[in-house]
Amino acid sequence: MSLRTAAGKTSSLALGSVLVLAMAAAGGHAATARDKPDTATGDSSGQNGLATTGDIVWWGWTPGSPVNEQYIAAFNEDYPDIHVTWRQTAIADYDAAVRPALATGSGLDVYQMSAGSANGGVAVFGSSAIDLTPAVEQALGPDWKSLLSPTGVDALTVDGELKALASGAVFSGIVWINQDLFDKYGVAAPTDWDSWKSACATFEANDVTCFVQGAAQAGFNIDTIHAIADNVEPGKFVAATRGDVPWTDASIVQAFTLWKQMFDEGIMQPGAVGYNQYPDANNDFMAQRAAMVMMGTWYTQNLVPDVMRASMEAAGSTDEPFTMLPIAFPDIAGTGNTGSLFGDVDYGQGVSANSDNQDAATTFAVWMGTSEKGQQVIADSLNLIPALKSITPNWDTVELVNPAAQEEPVKALIEQASAVTDSPRFATINADMNDALQNALTKVADGTSTPEEATADLQSAQESVG
């Protein structure tokens, strides 16, 4: 999660400072060197002609510990002589950090990219990556596109070149609730405006934040307004991002009116516009200070006990893992239009054109995005909807905090998300419109613009960027 900040998937453990984790392969070799393997001798070429030795540095913002270590450990079972150093930045810092590293080729071989102009967006950083098409054809054969989700292939292709290999996709449009808090205070999951306000009144009376939103980060605000707009009239928000309907359409204006109402009537917590989704809102939910949060399918990884425990500890909590469940965004418009999901590729691995170890870096990117083993590890982490179509979570081995309560709702969520075909999250929003949306949403929230004025500004911005 991408959250990404046009949102992206935010990493569940994006802590604001850079986290460097060196994963050594068998034999305890530390990942320090970045020498290019001697492919001329053939010693470093293995299955599918991919390199089998080298030291690489992998940059990204998601999903965070302990999941990244699990990915690397599984990779090293197949490639014990490729040593991977994971370098994580906070989601809000990623673009600024990766840009100079890509320019110099120093300390970066593989890096995460997302759709469109989100953080790490391929539209911004794709030019720094090599074309992975030949490597994928070598790994999967000439029909490789039929084996991978088109969501990832299309979103990460620039001018006919595959700039990154998708790990999987994420979808938003849902709210996560702390079922333990709901049970403790006798609250039912909200389904409409009145039940949401009633739930908030009960939680606030017991010193629990009802719903927490990091309204200072664009991507998460866009998720929320998209969900509201789909509740008003499904598909209109995406149509507006594509220029097929004006932003001043009555349904979009109504969505902005409901967005404002969430602030005015106490659904949004006080000070939301100064809050970040990561780490602030995430930490409030994980520390059980808030009962609800707007996150997407990337948050499903927190149903795994070890991942939730790590997320809670990062939020300052030493409590035992709690039962969290996904619910449909409540029907605040009163239309009956609920259950909408929208998504993109969360992130993919690109290989830097300036890397001194492109062969080993390509091996890692291809393994993550095309191998059954790599994709199964991703599926079982519950972090993404896998890019390889044939892979689904192995529910016989996936461990959940509360299987009786969580397994069926999560299976249904993954099945629904996997069936979404044309409802993008950020892929149709360029950098200029991302900024314009954040400005419009902030001005409506703080009362400096009316919904009508804000949507008119959006329409002007859309026309100016073509």
Side-chain angles (χ1 to χ4, degrees):
M1 184 171 145
S2 135
L3 240 178
R4 298 178 307 191
T5 66
K9 179 181 167 218
T10 92
S11 162
S12 63
L13 295 177
L15 303 179
S17 61
V18 172
L19 173 65
V20 179
L21 297 172
M23 293 300 298
H29 182 89
T32 54
R34 296 193 311 121
D35 296 331
K36 190 169 183 176
D38 184 9
T39 54
T41 67
D43 292 341
S44 64
S45 182
Q47 52 185 305
N48 295 320
L50 296 172
T52 59
T53 64
D55 292 341
I56 61 174
V57 182
W58 174 30
W59 282 53
W61 66 90
T62 187
S65 298
V67 180
N68 287 83
E69 291 93 324
Q70 294 168 4
Y71 295 167
I72 296 171
F75 172 74
N76 282 150
E77 291 175 4
D78 289 346
Y79 295 94
D81 295 320
I82 296 180
H83 310 287
V84 183
T85 299
W86 163 241
R87 181 163 184 166
Q88 180 174 328
T89 73
I91 185 171
D93 300 333
Y94 183 76
D95 285 9
V98 79
R99 187 173 284 109
L102 284 170
T104 63
S106 175
L108 185 156
D109 302 291
V110 182
Y111 64 107
Q112 292 180 348
M113 281 188 277
S114 61
S117 59
N119 63 290
V122 70
V124 179
F125 296 106
S127 60
S128 298
I130 67 172
D131 181 14
L132 289 171
T133 304
V136 180
E137 288 179 343
Q138 189 174 44
L140 295 179
D143 296 329
W144 63 273
K145 284 188 178 181
S146 68
L147 303 176
L148 299 176
S149 168
T151 300
V153 174
D154 295 345
L156 296 175
T157 296
V158 179
D159 296 331
E161 294 188 352
L162 186 64
K163 292 298 189 174
L165 265 168
S167 293
V170 291
F171 295 83
S172 196
I174 54 175
V175 172
W176 288 91
I177 68 171
N178 181 328
Q179 188 62 53
D180 293 353
L181 288 177
F182 275 75
D183 291 343
K184 179 178 180 179
Y185 297 111
V187 178
T191 57
D192 56 20
W193 187 265
D194 289 340
S195 60
W196 205 349
K197 285 192 64 178
S198 176
C200 286
T202 299
F203 284 123
E204 296 297 342
N206 288 281
D207 295 323
V208 176
T209 298
C210 175
F211 174 80
V212 63
Q213 173 97 7
Q217 282 183 294
F220 302 99
N221 287 345
I222 294 171
D223 280 347
T224 304
I225 193 65
H226 192 161
I228 297 170
D230 276 0
N231 179 210
V232 176
E233 188 171 347
K236 273 293 178 72
F237 185 87
V238 170
T241 66
R242 288 172 168 159
D244 295 337
V245 300
W247 285 99
T248 52
D249 184 273
S251 66
I252 304 294
V253 175
Q254 184 182 351
F256 272 76
T257 301
L258 290 167
W259 163 263
K260 172 62 171 171
Q261 200 171 331
M262 289 180 71
F263 288 85
D264 291 346
E265 300 195 22
I267 301 296
M268 295 284 186
Q269 84 278 13
V273 293
Y275 235 52
N276 285 324
Q277 194 82 344
Y278 286 92
D280 303 329
N282 172 71
N283 285 352
D284 280 358
F285 185 77
M286 282 296 157
Q288 303 191 77
R289 295 187 292 265
M292 287 179 270
V293 68
M294 180 100 187
M295 295 283 194
T297 56
W298 63 88
Y299 226 48
T300 307
Q301 65 178 315
N302 289 304
L303 274 61
V304 177
D306 288 347
V307 178
M308 172 169 269
R309 195 171 283 111
S311 296
M312 294 178 72
E313 289 174 358
S317 173
T318 58
D319 292 341
E320 286 300 305
F322 58 89
T323 301
M324 53 179 265
L325 295 173
I327 65 169
F329 192 87
D331 183 12
I332 63 175
T335 61
N337 300 322
T338 60
S340 172
L341 291 179
F342 40 90
D344 302 311
V345 56
D346 184 31
Y347 67 92
Q349 273 61 238
V351 174
S352 171
N354 286 330
S355 168
D356 291 331
N357 205 356
Q358 286 183 11
D359 295 339
T362 298
T363 297
F364 181 69
V366 170
W367 182 90
M368 284 280 288
T370 70
S371 74
E372 290 186 0
K373 185 172 183 176
Q375 285 285 286
Q376 191 65 59
V377 173
I378 287 170
D380 291 350
S381 73
L382 302 183
N383 183 45
L384 303 174
I385 309 301
L388 195 60
K389 292 179 182 178
S390 60
I391 301 298
T392 58
N394 183 350
W395 295 107
D396 291 334
T397 59
V398 171
E399 185 179 0
L400 301 175
V401 171
N402 186 345
Q406 294 172 320
E407 184 169 326
E408 291 308 315
V410 172
K411 281 183 177 178
L413 174 62
I414 292 174
E415 182 177 353
Q416 181 189 358
S418 298
V420 175
T421 56
D422 186 28
S423 187
R425 185 175 175 225
F426 299 124
T428 54
I429 301 173
N430 63 31
D432 291 332
M433 287 307 297
N434 180 77
D435 291 343
L437 276 161
Q438 176 66 353
N439 288 337
L441 289 164
T442 299
K443 288 180 178 180
V444 171
D446 65 20
T448 56
S449 288
T450 66
E452 291 80 7
E453 290 169 341
T455 52
D457 288 344
L458 282 174
Q459 184 59 29
S460 297
Q462 182 97 336
E463 292 169 356
S464 68
V465 299

